[in-house]
Amino acid sequence: MRRRFVAGAVAVLAASAGVGALAPSADAAETVGIKVDAGTSLGTVPSSGVGLNLGFGDEHMGDANVTSLMKAAGVRQLRYPGGSGADEYHWKTHTSGDGKGWIPSNTNFDSFMTIAKKVGAQPILTANYGSGTVQEAADWVKYSNVDKGYGVKYWEIGNEVYGNGHYGNGKGWERDDHADKSPREYGKNLVAYSKAMKAVDPTVKIGAVLTTPGGWPDKEKAPGDTADWNNTVLSIAGSSIDFVIVHWYPGGKTTDDLLNTPSKIAATTSELRSLVAKYTGSRAASVEIAVTETDGVGSPALTSQAAALFAPDTYMTWFEQGATHVDWWNLHNGTDQAPTTVHGQTDYQDGGILSAGTCAGGKCQPARDTTFPTYWGIRSLTALAQPGDTIVKSSSGNSSVTVHAVRSGNGGLNVMLTNKSPENAAEVSLSYAGFTPAAGAVTTVSYGKGDTALTTAKRGTAVAQTLPPYSITTLQLKPASGTAAADKPSPLPTQTAATPAAPAPVVSALGTTGTRAQAEAKISAAPVGQPTPNGASGPLASTGASSAVTYSAYGGLVVIAAGGMLVLRGRRRRALHGK
């Protein structure tokens, strides 16, 4: 999880590494062809897919305006108690570490559950593996599901446990008090946690922490290891888990790099599915993939428009590949870095979606809880899909425009289009199979660069749209009069577990795909977590009444420091909200 502040490195990166990498291409004016096959299903939108991280250090996470903003953004899952802080947090006493630091009294477990209920979100909890015990976790299940009747289903065992120093000659970011920090020991303890927790409530689902394929320390072996982290853990605990966990921090030297990273998700998922099939046998199809942390850290954009475009593309691409949960880092985060300028827009270098209203480098964020562009990027998903809707096949003729399409429960077809060029509008032509859109003007809902809210208007048709620079546009299409809403989409042929596709290497421009600590460390050249050299809703554009949604940049984000106790994003460095 992220806790560390990126201390200035991103500012240097933004200034010198080509924030303007998305320069107009020679064919920028050419029409981009978009194809939507409404008859081919890629699966359904997960019931609790759109998630968000909350940390026990965030005293404002339960404020009425904050819970209203989360609910309006369609947040369906809340992760607690927060990243690396989870491996130091003791739920019974609501304390962290040695218990001497200050923690807000209104962020304990019961308070969190009240927040989840207000938002209408499913909770996912991280049991303390680093400094906790099996009994502590089992007692948490009893209190939550037996005594209080909360019915919490998803439980992660530890945060980024592989960051405990087992790799990198003992230098890590994740607390782990076990004498043996090997993947073998984690696998054995994972079995013990699962057994004890399921003895209390057999319906709970237990998650195993894996390294992200392509990101350090994936494929690494430390002295004494016979296999890497993922193979070792799953070979021991494969029969005791219900989902696997990865963190997706692809980063990038430029905003262009960041916006191209969703194309790597298919290969990452393929490798994870191959591992699951290898070690869980006949249960493989039921073992879920959960991405419990992601954002743009490690790139120039954390709160500005590029990060806003990255968010919905990342969520939807993971859903298309079968992930059941994707949790953005973070609600409130904070930073010790001065703002930068990214494509003419202020980027507050903060991982939260709401401003903390703090100051760094003599410059201050907007008022607390001001929505950053990333908030609107996530909220844009509410115009595209609702839980249970069917994701259908779609494709773009040019990587500068991305597309995702969903068959809505009312028989309509929603199409999200993202123009990744910061300077040029994009002309797009759309064609459909398995669906005939109504003719006429299209309702568009847009959020463009510099906007402060979504805007609804009539614009274009179902077959032709002009996308503003750096925007997200969702078309909500109704079927043409006299036509069937389209047959039920058919699923794509699936590969058998025995013959998974060979995944391509998944390495970002920074080579840090996987953890925030690494992305931040890479940027700042800090050694944390790095191996040493010898270290072993609505209708959309139709040609009739449809609606489009577009999103742009906005606002600032946040962090609150309280007595040096709260930690935010970066890993080991303590900061603010979220631990």
Side-chain angles (χ1 to χ4, degrees):
M1 164 125 197
R2 314 164 170 229
R3 295 188 172 159
R4 168 187 303 167
F5 286 130
V6 204
V10 175
V12 175
L13 186 63
S16 63
V19 170
L22 282 172
S25 60
D27 60 350
E30 294 182 2
T31 298
V32 178
I34 300 294
K35 296 181 179 180
V36 179
D37 181 356
T40 301
S41 170
L42 301 180
T44 59
V45 177
S47 61
S48 56
V50 178
L52 181 65
N53 277 269
L54 301 187
F56 61 77
D58 183 358
E59 63 183 320
H60 295 290
M61 66 183 184
D63 290 357
N65 62 318
V66 173
T67 57
S68 294
L69 284 168
M70 288 191 281
K71 188 177 183 69
V75 172
R76 301 283 182 162
Q77 176 164 282
L78 292 174
R79 182 177 184 243
Y80 175 90
S84 297
D87 279 319
E88 300 186 26
Y89 180 70
H90 301 287
W91 72 271
K92 285 184 180 180
T93 56
H94 189 49
T95 58
S96 176
D98 61 8
K100 296 179 180 179
W102 177 82
I103 295 180
S105 60
N106 63 347
T107 63
N108 62 17
F109 175 55
D110 287 317
S111 297
F112 165 76
M113 289 303 302
T114 297
I115 293 168
K117 184 176 181 179
K118 288 180 180 179
V119 175
Q122 167 183 272
I124 180 170
L125 303 179
T126 307
N128 183 344
Y129 177 81
S131 60
T133 65
V134 170
Q135 189 61 53
E136 181 180 23
D139 288 347
W140 199 357
V141 175
K142 179 179 182 298
Y143 178 80
S144 169
N145 294 359
V146 177
D147 299 344
K148 301 293 289 189
Y150 290 142
V152 177
K153 296 301 180 186
Y154 289 89
W155 299 76
E156 301 178 69
I157 309 304
N159 184 54
E160 292 169 356
V161 185
Y162 48 78
N164 60 10
H166 180 68
Y167 306 102
N169 291 338
K171 297 179 180 179
W173 60 88
E174 198 75 16
R175 180 170 178 175
D176 184 355
D177 293 346
H178 296 87
D180 183 349
K181 295 176 171 54
S182 68
R184 179 180 58 256
E185 184 70 5
Y186 175 66
K188 290 166 55 180
N189 289 329
L190 183 55
V191 172
Y193 271 79
S194 179
K195 182 178 180 180
M197 295 165 79
K198 290 191 174 190
V200 176
D201 181 354
T203 70
V204 299
K205 295 187 177 184
I206 303 300
V209 174
L210 299 186
T211 61
T212 304
W216 191 87
D218 187 50
K219 308 295 191 301
E220 292 285 323
K221 292 182 186 178
D225 289 348
T226 58
D228 62 19
W229 182 275
N230 289 352
N231 279 280
T232 301
V233 170
L234 291 177
S235 68
I236 296 170
S239 62
S240 299
I241 64 167
D242 305 285
F243 63 104
V244 295
I245 303 152
V246 292
H247 290 173
W248 180 250
Y249 292 119
K253 292 182 179 180
T254 68
T255 52
D256 198 1
D257 290 336
L258 176 68
L259 294 177
N260 287 332
T261 57
S263 65
K264 305 174 185 292
I265 291 173
T268 301
T269 309
S270 178
E271 183 168 343
L272 289 171
R273 282 294 175 205
S274 180
L275 283 165
V276 168
K278 181 178 180 180
Y279 295 110
T280 64
S282 61
R283 297 177 55 248
S286 66
V287 176
E288 302 173 36
I289 294 175
V291 184
T292 59
E293 289 185 23
T294 188
D295 74 7
V297 70
S299 79
L302 274 79
T303 69
S304 56
Q305 191 66 3
L309 305 187
F310 167 77
D313 194 15
T314 295
Y315 276 98
M316 287 305 302
T317 304
W318 276 108
F319 296 159
E320 288 165 354
Q321 296 301 319
T324 52
H325 313 282
V326 179
D327 303 325
W328 190 265
W329 182 271
N330 192 5
L331 173 60
H332 292 117
N333 195 73
T335 183
D336 57 2
Q337 300 175 63
T340 62
T341 300
V342 179
H343 295 302
Q345 189 175 35
T346 299
D347 191 298
Y348 292 94
Q349 296 299 294
D350 186 311
I353 61 171
L354 301 181
S355 171
T358 55
C359 303
K363 297 183 179 181
C364 297
Q365 296 182 353
R368 192 184 69 229
D369 300 333
T370 296
T371 52
F372 286 134
T374 44
Y375 171 85
W376 295 105
I378 294 171
R379 186 161 169 171
S380 70
L381 292 167
T382 63
L384 175 67
Q386 296 297 318
D389 285 351
T390 302
I391 305 170
V392 297
K393 186 178 179 181
S394 60
S395 63
S396 171
N398 191 309
S399 61
S400 66
V401 175
T402 62
V403 57
H404 300 283
V406 171
R407 289 300 310 281
S408 60
N410 63 7
L413 174 67
N414 300 340
V415 182
M416 176 179 280
L417 302 168
T418 301
N419 179 5
K420 298 191 291 185
S421 171
E423 300 178 4
N424 298 326
E427 301 293 333
V428 299
S429 63
L430 300 95
S431 60
Y432 304 87
F435 183 87
T436 302
V442 170
T443 301
T444 66
V445 183
S446 63
Y447 179 79
K449 184 178 179 181
D451 289 352
T452 59
L454 307 185
T455 302
T456 301
K458 293 285 186 178
R459 192 183 73 202
T461 70
V463 297
Q465 286 283 327
T466 299
L467 309 178
Y470 253 24
S471 65
I472 305 166
T473 301
T474 302
L475 310 179
Q476 299 174 326
L477 308 172
K478 294 179 180 179
S481 177
T483 65
D487 295 333
K488 183 177 180 181
S490 301
L492 279 173
T494 56
Q495 296 171 329
T496 63
T499 58
V506 184
V507 183
S508 73
L510 292 179
T512 56
T513 300
T515 76
R516 176 172 196 104
Q518 299 206 24
E520 293 173 346
K522 188 78 171 180
I523 295 175
S524 61
V528 179
Q530 301 298 317
T532 57
N534 60 352
S537 286
L540 271 173
S542 98
T543 34
S546 87
S547 50
V549 185
T550 7
Y551 303 87
S552 107
Y554 179 156
L557 230 227
V558 155
V559 160
I560 300 176
M565 166 60 209
L566 306 184
V567 193
L568 249 331
R569 251 217 220 262
R571 268 187 213 256
R572 200 63 280 165
R573 259 186 227 157
R574 308 219 172 219
L576 271 191
H577 277 352
K579 249 328 216 183

